[in-house]
Amino acid sequence: MQHTRETSGTVEVDGEIYDWEIRRQPQPKADGSWNGMAVTLRLQGFQREAIVQFPMPMRPNGRPDMEKQRLNVDAVRNAVTAVMEAGWNPTSRGKPMVFDVDADGN
């Protein structure tokens, strides 16, 4: 597992290079629950984005982990594959598509 504190970078999936950038760190919702980290994905040379929302990490006692999160680069790589299987076409035009994934990016 490769973790990074960087806020942007690239991953290679099936010979293609994808740019990723942290869009949002975990934050509370109005109803008392939490939004996890969100990452934007874009195929290099194209503008169509996918917004991938990871779940809020929880501590063993059931409370949310409030510290600034490190990004698991392997989970981003898995997320690229998952969102493409879910219908994201990075070479098309249009608004960003939003996807929810698990902590491993599936």
Side-chain angles (χ1 to χ4, degrees):
M1 228 187 307
Q2 178 186 2
H3 288 303
T4 183
R5 290 195 187 272
E6 299 295 321
T7 59
S8 63
T10 61
V11 293
E12 183 176 348
V13 177
D14 297 331
E16 301 282 348
I17 304 294
Y18 293 85
D19 294 322
W20 61 264
E21 184 175 357
I22 294 178
R23 184 179 182 103
R24 177 190 73 228
Q25 281 288 337
Q27 62 187 14
K29 293 183 188 177
D31 65 0
S33 61
W34 287 78
N35 282 325
M37 184 185 315
V39 175
T40 58
L41 300 172
R42 186 181 310 119
L43 178 62
Q44 279 188 347
F46 293 91
Q47 296 205 359
R48 184 79 186 264
E49 288 184 338
I51 300 170
V52 179
Q53 300 181 128
F54 290 92
M56 180 66 186
M58 302 301 264
R59 293 187 175 181
N61 65 3
R63 295 188 163 266
D65 188 357
M66 307 283 259
E67 296 176 14
K68 186 175 179 183
Q69 300 299 306
R70 295 184 303 160
L71 185 68
N72 181 344
V73 178
D74 294 332
V76 173
R77 197 172 289 118
N78 292 342
V80 170
T81 304
V83 299
M84 289 185 72
E85 289 173 358
W88 178 56
N89 181 357
T91 60
S92 66
R93 294 175 34 178
K95 294 180 181 181
M97 296 178 72
V98 180
F99 299 93
D100 291 324
V101 296
D102 64 11
D104 295 328
N106 297 317

